[in-house]
Amino acid sequence: MPEYKNALCLQEKYALSEFRKTSSNIVRICNASEFNRDISSDNKKNIFARHGFFDSDKQPLSVNTHQARHFLNTIAHLGGMTNFDIARWSGRKNVSQNNNYNHISREHLMDYMCTLPGDSVTCDSSFNDKVSEPEPDFSQTHGAYLITDCGYCEHDYSISPCEKYPGFDEKNKQLKEKFDNLIKTSDKDSKSGVYGADKWADKELIFKTNKI
């Protein structure tokens, strides 16, 4: 019995064979070059051709392994996996690189938001740009938020604050009060050992001490 825990890809036995009937037994791909050849556009009898998948020019479809990586990352986003988990799963050092692998269309995202229960999102079928979401209670959230005069943007402790941080006019007392709540939260999380909170706490202390 082969071990599957570290396998990159699993398939039905003989699925890549041109001559043998596919078996219900699951096997792992051991020969990477054989697998790459069978999904390549250079192979006119690749797995897509054998199963009748052709483009508008009657050429068999093809895919490369990097396209599969983009596809899996997009599915992960659709499935609700967090940015931090996707980066860790994909072996990335920078969470922001996830954006290059996320190909969820705006229309797909809007349709999904309109199916959410409750009043968290308001959708107008005649104009999908009309989407609103109530502002969170910043005294009850984590501290990784960029508050601006135009609204707010939720971030993650695993990502360092952006260059526009903290994002609002110092004279705006209403936003300052919200920001003070975030200062307390991130500082508390940092002292509790929450990963990444120290970066936000340090930035907030600089802002609070030197600017407000």
Side-chain angles (χ1 to χ4, degrees), residues 78 104-116 121-125 127-132:
L78 285 170
I104 302 175
S105 68
R106 180 179 179 278
E107 292 74 20
H108 189 121
L109 188 59
M110 291 295 299
D111 288 343
Y112 170 74
M113 292 175 66
C114 290
T115 64
L116 295 177
V121 178
T122 301
C123 293
D124 187 332
S125 59
F127 188 50
N128 272 346
D129 286 338
K130 297 179 181 179
V131 179
S132 63

Side-chain angles (χ1 to χ4, degrees), residues 139-168:
S139 65
Q140 303 295 323
T141 66
H142 58 75
Y145 278 86
L146 171 68
I147 303 179
T148 74
D149 297 298
C150 300
Y152 70 93
C153 181
E154 182 176 1
H155 292 260
D156 190 288
Y157 278 144
S158 61
I159 309 175
S160 297
C162 73
E163 60 182 12
K164 296 185 180 297
Y165 186 87
F168 64 90

Side-chain angles (χ1 to χ4, degrees), residues 35-36 38-41 46 48 61-68:
F35 175 72
N36 286 330
D38 205 57
I39 61 175
S40 170
S41 59
N46 67 17
F48 299 103
L61 298 181
S62 63
V63 68
N64 59 48
T65 53
H66 197 70
Q67 287 173 317

